[in-house]
């Protein structure tokens, strides 16, 4: 049976895209700036020297970057042998968020505008907060502002433990986030609250991409830590994705690893595997590679740590270390692939850890495509992430997607 493995390095952009001016991101370059910082010794926390990712380079990552910029990233040598096909893609979705990026990869770009909570303070309308409080029997909420995930816990974590009021906040993305203590509020209670908020937003026509449950532990300020029990309660894609088509047209399997299942609202997923950290996500991916499949299969893995732990927190050393660890494990992934398997490594947006603020960045994403029988080639600039979905659709002989053109 045929298998496709989609590995999304969440936020691994490779240079600002042609429409970056609309997002105030001209100059952003996640890959290039990480390599530059490593080369000049500015990313030496728990690591040292130039960025070392020989296996990603052997799949054509450096050549993609050179075709965009005219030069290789700082400190990274050209590989002796490129073994995969490679190119890059622009995003046509209206936003640079996780849902839009993943849905476009799956063949359904977001061509409408999301709603946002724009106010930095008092971010949420009073009537919305009243509906949330009534639905869950809350005595009130904390936060009600734009905030980073770490700062909000330091600001309100202790008061949350005392009052049991949830911490509700947002960002420049189209999200509503709820942080609650696993011990004092309860994980099940948090998930139930987020499900109710998702229902309320949809019922009253708030076009918000995700409600994100952000559980944490710890007993006092500066000691609160977010756990890996995050869950995303997402709107559904506005069209039929390639993963849905595989299930409906070929009775195939789709395994969502990490937060993939949440991103698609659990639609088009036959098996969901929640993971705890980058190592666990890679291990789960390799487990699926080594598993014998009786059906046509897509394994869709999201490696969220690049975005949530290192991109948004502007941690260049952490991002570099994560890339080097992924690259080390990539050899296991390549060695485990069967003769008909296709491996696709890509990203959903950028999140340059050297850029101003903490937001995502509008960037091109790499498409590294590997199959043991495919010829090595540069397939150039793709106009939409949906070329990935159209490629997969053609490989499985599915009906054509409405967007994108096949790389094959």
């Amino acid at each position: 049976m045929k298998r496709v493995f989609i590995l999304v390095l969440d936020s691994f952009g490779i240079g600002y895209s042609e429409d970056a001016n609309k997002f105030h991101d001209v100059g952003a370059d996640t890959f290039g700036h990480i390599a530059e910082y490593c080369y000049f010794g500015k990313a030496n926390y728990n690591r040292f020297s130039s960025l070392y990712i020989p296996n990603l380079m052997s799949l054509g990552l450096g050549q993609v970057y050179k075709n965009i910029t005219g030069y290789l990233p700082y400190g990274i040598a050209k590989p002796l042998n490129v073994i995969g096909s490679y190119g890059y893609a622009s995003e046509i979705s209206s936003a640079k968020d996780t849902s839009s990026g993943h849905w476009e990869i799956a063949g359904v770009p977001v061509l409408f505008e999301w709603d946002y909570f724009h106010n930095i303070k008092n971010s949420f309308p009073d009537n919305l907060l009243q509906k949330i409080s009534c639905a869950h029997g809350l005595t009130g909420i904390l936060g009600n502002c734009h905030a980073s995930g770490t700062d909000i816990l330091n600001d309100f974590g202790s008061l949350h433990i005392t009052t049991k009021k949830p911490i509700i906040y947002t960002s420049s993305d189209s999200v509503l986030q709820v942080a609650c203590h696993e011990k004092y509020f309860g994980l099940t209670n948090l998930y139930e609250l987020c499900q109710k908020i998702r229902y309320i937003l949809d019922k009253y026509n708030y076009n918000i991409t995700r409600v994100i449950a952000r559980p944490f532990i710890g007993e006092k300020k500066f000691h609160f830590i977010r756990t890996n029990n995050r869950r995303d309660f997402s709107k559904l894609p506005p069209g039929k994705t390639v993963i849905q088509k595989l299930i409906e047209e070929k009775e195939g399997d789709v395994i969502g690893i990490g937060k993939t299942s949440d991103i698609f609202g659990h639609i088009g997923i036959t098996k969901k595997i929640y993971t705890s950290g980058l190592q666990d996500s890679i291990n789960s991916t390799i487990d699926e590679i080594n598993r014998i499949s009786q059906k046509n299969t897509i394994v869709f893995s999201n490696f969220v740590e690049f975005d949530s732990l290192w991109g948004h927190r502007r941690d260049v050393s952490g991002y570099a270390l994560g890339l080097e660890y992924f690259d080390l494990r990539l050899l296991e992934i390549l060695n485990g692939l069967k003769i008909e398997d296709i491996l696709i490594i890509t990203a959903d947006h950028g999140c340059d850890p050297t850029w101003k603020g903490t937001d995502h960045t509008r960037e091109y994403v790499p498409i590294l495509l590997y199959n043991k029988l495919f010829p090595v080639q540069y397939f150039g600039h793709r106009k939409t992430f949906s070329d990935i979905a159209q490629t997969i659709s053609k490989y499985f002989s599915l009906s054509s997607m409405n967007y994108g053109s096949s790389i094959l």
Side-chain angles (χ1 to χ4, degrees):
M1 291 295 178
K2 293 181 177 180
R3 304 189 302 175
V4 172
F5 297 89
I6 309 169
L7 310 189
V8 178
L9 306 186
D10 199 315
S11 84
F12 187 54
I14 53 172
Y16 68 93
S17 59
E18 65 273 22
D19 62 350
N21 60 303
K22 298 178 182 177
F23 300 86
H24 309 290
D25 288 332
V26 173
D29 182 357
T30 300
F31 178 33
H33 286 153
I34 291 170
E36 178 182 343
Y37 271 53
C38 290
Y39 179 75
F40 288 106
K42 296 192 290 184
N44 286 349
Y45 184 75
N46 288 331
R47 62 167 307 282
F48 65 94
S49 192
S50 295
L51 185 65
Y52 186 65
I53 48 172
N55 295 310
L56 282 167
M57 293 295 286
S58 75
L59 292 178
L61 178 62
Q63 296 306 111
V64 172
Y65 189 82
K66 185 176 181 180
N67 276 287
I68 295 172
T69 65
Y71 52 86
L72 288 171
Y74 280 95
I76 301 182
K78 181 179 179 180
L80 295 176
N81 186 33
V82 175
I83 62 173
S85 298
Y86 52 92
Y88 65 102
S90 298
E91 184 171 12
I92 61 173
S93 292
S94 61
K96 52 181 178 177
D97 62 278
T98 294
S99 297
S100 299
H102 280 76
W103 294 356
E104 187 169 331
I105 289 169
V108 184
V110 174
L111 303 180
F112 54 84
E113 294 295 330
W114 293 113
D115 289 338
Y116 299 87
F117 299 110
H118 291 293
N119 294 338
I120 302 300
K121 295 182 178 179
N122 298 317
S123 301
F124 307 108
D126 289 340
N127 60 352
L128 175 60
L129 294 178
Q130 288 171 6
K131 288 180 174 66
I132 292 170
S133 296
C134 290
H136 204 69
L138 302 174
T139 58
I141 67 110
L142 303 173
N144 191 14
C145 60
H146 282 227
S148 76
T150 51
D151 290 344
I152 199 78
L153 297 185
N154 289 327
D155 291 341
F156 295 103
S158 297
L159 186 59
H160 164 73
I161 290 174
T162 303
T163 64
K164 307 299 186 296
K165 294 178 181 179
I167 306 167
I168 300 182
Y169 63 106
T170 188
S171 69
S172 55
D173 280 346
S174 175
V175 294
L176 186 153
Q177 305 189 71
V178 187
C180 293
H181 200 286
E182 288 196 359
K183 176 181 176 182
Y184 298 106
F185 193 86
L187 202 54
T188 301
N189 195 23
L190 171 59
Y191 293 161
E192 289 177 354
L193 171 59
C194 289
Q195 286 176 325
K196 291 174 182 176
I197 294 174
R198 175 77 272 166
Y199 173 79
I200 290 168
L201 291 175
D202 292 343
K203 181 178 179 180
Y204 294 97
N205 298 317
Y206 288 92
N207 195 25
I208 301 297
T209 58
R210 288 172 294 154
V211 177
I212 305 177
R214 295 285 196 179
F216 67 96
I217 57 175
E219 298 297 326
K220 59 182 180 179
K221 188 174 183 178
F222 302 122
H223 290 78
F224 296 122
I225 301 171
R226 295 200 302 201
T227 73
N228 290 310
N229 291 318
R230 162 187 172 159
R231 292 290 183 272
D232 291 35
F233 299 83
S234 176
K235 287 188 73 69
L236 301 183
K240 191 166 289 187
T241 63
V242 71
I243 58 179
Q244 286 177 264
K245 289 192 174 192
L246 181 66
I247 295 170
E248 294 175 6
E249 297 178 16
K250 298 293 184 180
E251 297 183 349
D253 277 338
V254 178
I255 293 93
I257 295 178
K259 68 174 186 176
T260 300
S261 180
D262 287 355
I263 293 169
F264 289 96
H266 311 284
I267 301 297
I269 305 288
T270 57
K271 178 182 177 183
K272 52 188 175 184
I273 301 173
Y274 290 115
T275 54
S276 177
L278 180 59
Q279 180 177 351
D280 190 22
S281 297
I282 294 173
N283 288 343
S284 295
T285 301
I286 292 173
D287 286 345
E288 293 302 321
I289 289 173
N290 294 333
R291 197 181 309 278
I292 297 174
S293 177
Q294 303 300 324
K295 296 182 177 182
N296 291 315
T297 301
I298 294 173
V299 176
F300 204 138
S301 299
N302 171 275
F303 302 107
V304 68
E305 292 75 20
F306 292 105
D307 186 51
S308 62
L309 291 185
W310 307 313
H312 283 301
R313 299 186 187 184
R314 298 311 192 230
D315 180 358
V316 184
S317 295
Y319 209 127
L321 195 62
L323 286 172
E324 289 169 335
Y325 178 72
F326 176 83
D327 189 84
L328 179 67
R329 302 296 305 278
L330 181 55
L331 201 57
E332 296 176 60
I333 293 171
L334 293 172
N335 289 338
L337 296 173
K338 309 298 188 293
I339 197 72
E340 280 198 316
D341 292 345
I342 292 180
L343 173 69
I344 300 171
I345 299 176
T346 189
D348 54 342
H349 50 70
C351 197
D352 186 344
T354 74
W355 201 240
K356 57 184 180 293
T358 60
D359 194 12
H360 295 150
T361 42
R362 185 74 160 191
E363 299 185 47
Y364 299 120
V365 302
I367 304 177
L368 308 180
L369 192 152
Y370 176 77
N371 171 274
K372 294 179 186 293
L373 301 179
F374 287 179
V376 173
Q377 63 175 331
Y378 172 59
F379 49 77
H381 177 203
R382 316 303 294 195
K383 300 301 183 183
T384 168
F385 298 179
S386 291
D387 284 11
I388 294 173
Q390 200 71 272
T391 302
I392 295 169
S393 178
K394 181 173 182 179
Y395 190 62
F396 285 118
S397 299
L398 305 174
S399 59
S400 293
M401 307 301 297
N402 290 331
Y403 297 90
S405 59
S406 175
I407 297 167
L408 295 179

